[in-house]
Amino acid sequence: MTWPCNSDGNHHFASLSFSRKPKESPTLAKSSKSHLSIFSSPPKSPQNPPDFSELPYDVLARIAAPFALPSLKTASLVCRAWRDALKPLREAMVFLKWGKRYKNGRGGVKANSKKALDCFLKGAARGSTLAMVDAGSIYWGMGKKEEGIAWYRLAAELGDHTGQCNLAICYFQAYPSKTREAIGWLYQASFAGHVRAQYQLALCLHQGRGLEQSLPEAARWYLRAAEGGYVHAMYNTSLCYLMGEAGEIAAAQVKNVILQQLSAT
């Protein structure tokens, strides 16, 4: 075994006094054995596994607020406490389903925006951010922009990425516009993988709206949105590359985007 060197490169040894030889020391031998047992024995599993039912209801409801029905069903199977806590959100999915039917005139019913809004509000009251976003959309379409923004903001604060994107777009269109807040919400949704938010963020970078203009950075966000299937972003990514604005984006990546665009048309 080689001893480590000091900073001057020379070996220095200090004399250590022992009352007896190390090999004859029962204390030392016992200590070595105990150290070996620590490293050789497998770690013990905790006797008490985590109790999921101890998660507070309000925390669970906040986490599950953006869930769609399949995720809610899965979470409800974890334990009885979760099933009971998520009951309002499962009920919200029923109202959300009927709201979309009335909104789009599907499922054997005629389009009725008032009934759709009523269903969405009932779903939103039970904590579903999906219903909040749809309620905000109807209010915005009715010209009641303050109500629309209020529901978008509530959904955004609960972690709904569509709500974050919609809120950002509303802030851009508000008078006076809230550009700084809009950019912040776009970044949150974009980093979470929301393709429409990524496209909107790329537009801001491309046009220098609320951010310093950066065409290479815009091209990177266009590419991310395009890879997620956003058609407008596919076109803009190709255009940036052809005009020499794509920065370090490789030709192979742009080729894949163009092929996606062709298959989507």
Side-chain angles (χ1 to χ4, degrees):
M1 182 175 69
T2 304
W3 288 80
C5 298
N6 285 352
S7 58
D8 58 2
N10 298 319
H11 294 287
H12 298 277
F13 301 93
S15 60
L16 300 175
S17 58
F18 291 96
S19 58
R20 60 181 70 181
K21 294 181 180 180
K23 64 179 182 179
E24 297 176 356
S25 171
T27 304
L28 183 61
K30 184 177 180 181
S31 175
S32 300
K33 185 176 180 181
S34 64
H35 283 301
L36 287 173
S37 64
I38 291 174
F39 291 103
S40 60
S41 59
K44 296 181 179 180
S45 58
Q47 294 181 352
N48 298 321
D51 187 359
F52 293 106
S53 64
E54 294 181 356
L55 190 66
Y57 278 16
D58 58 334
V59 175
L60 177 60
R62 185 180 180 89
I63 293 172
F67 284 6
L69 185 57
S71 299
L72 280 174
K73 287 183 176 179
T74 302
S76 298
L77 295 174
V78 172
C79 62
R80 183 175 181 178
W82 280 33
R83 184 189 65 195
D84 295 341
L86 295 175
K87 182 180 178 181
L89 284 171
R90 292 196 302 273
E91 293 175 350
M93 292 298 101
V94 178
F95 287 111
L96 180 67
K97 179 180 178 180
W98 278 99
K100 288 186 178 295
R101 285 181 176 180
Y102 282 119
K103 180 181 179 180
N104 302 310
R106 297 175 182 173
V109 299
K110 294 182 179 180
N112 189 318
S113 59
K114 290 184 178 180
K115 288 185 177 180
L117 179 59
D118 182 62
C119 289
F120 291 143
L121 290 176
K122 288 178 179 177
R126 286 163 173 78
S128 171
T129 62
L130 305 180
M132 295 175 193
V133 170
D134 277 318
S137 176
I138 288 187
Y139 273 128
W140 186 267
M142 293 169 61
K144 298 182 178 181
K145 296 186 176 181
E146 292 298 325
E147 289 90 338
I149 288 176
W151 282 113
Y152 283 149
R153 186 173 186 89
L154 183 56
E157 290 172 346
L158 288 169
D160 189 287
H161 307 313
T162 301
Q164 292 167 351
C165 180
N166 288 7
L167 180 63
I169 294 172
C170 290
Y171 279 163
F172 279 129
Q173 297 178 8
Y175 184 81
S177 62
K178 299 180 179 180
T179 305
R180 187 172 182 179
E181 289 185 63
I183 293 296
W185 287 115
L186 279 183
Y187 266 114
Q188 282 198 46
S190 296
F191 280 117
H194 193 278
V195 292
R196 188 183 178 207
Q198 291 170 347
Y199 175 73
Q200 293 294 329
L201 181 59
L203 285 177
C204 291
L205 287 161
H206 203 157
Q207 300 168 0
R209 184 178 187 183
L211 292 166
E212 184 178 352
Q213 187 180 40
S214 174
L215 301 183
E217 186 68 15
R220 281 192 286 272
W221 281 110
Y222 281 140
L223 178 62
R224 291 183 66 172
E227 290 173 339
Y230 203 77
V231 177
H232 293 298
M234 296 177 189
Y235 174 79
N236 284 16
T237 304
S238 307
L239 196 62
C240 285
Y241 182 79
L242 292 174
M243 296 181 67
E245 299 175 354
E248 299 177 354
I249 294 178
Q253 292 175 289
V254 178
K255 181 180 178 181
N256 289 335
V257 167
I258 294 174
L259 291 175
Q260 277 185 280
Q261 185 178 357
L262 291 174
S263 62
T265 55

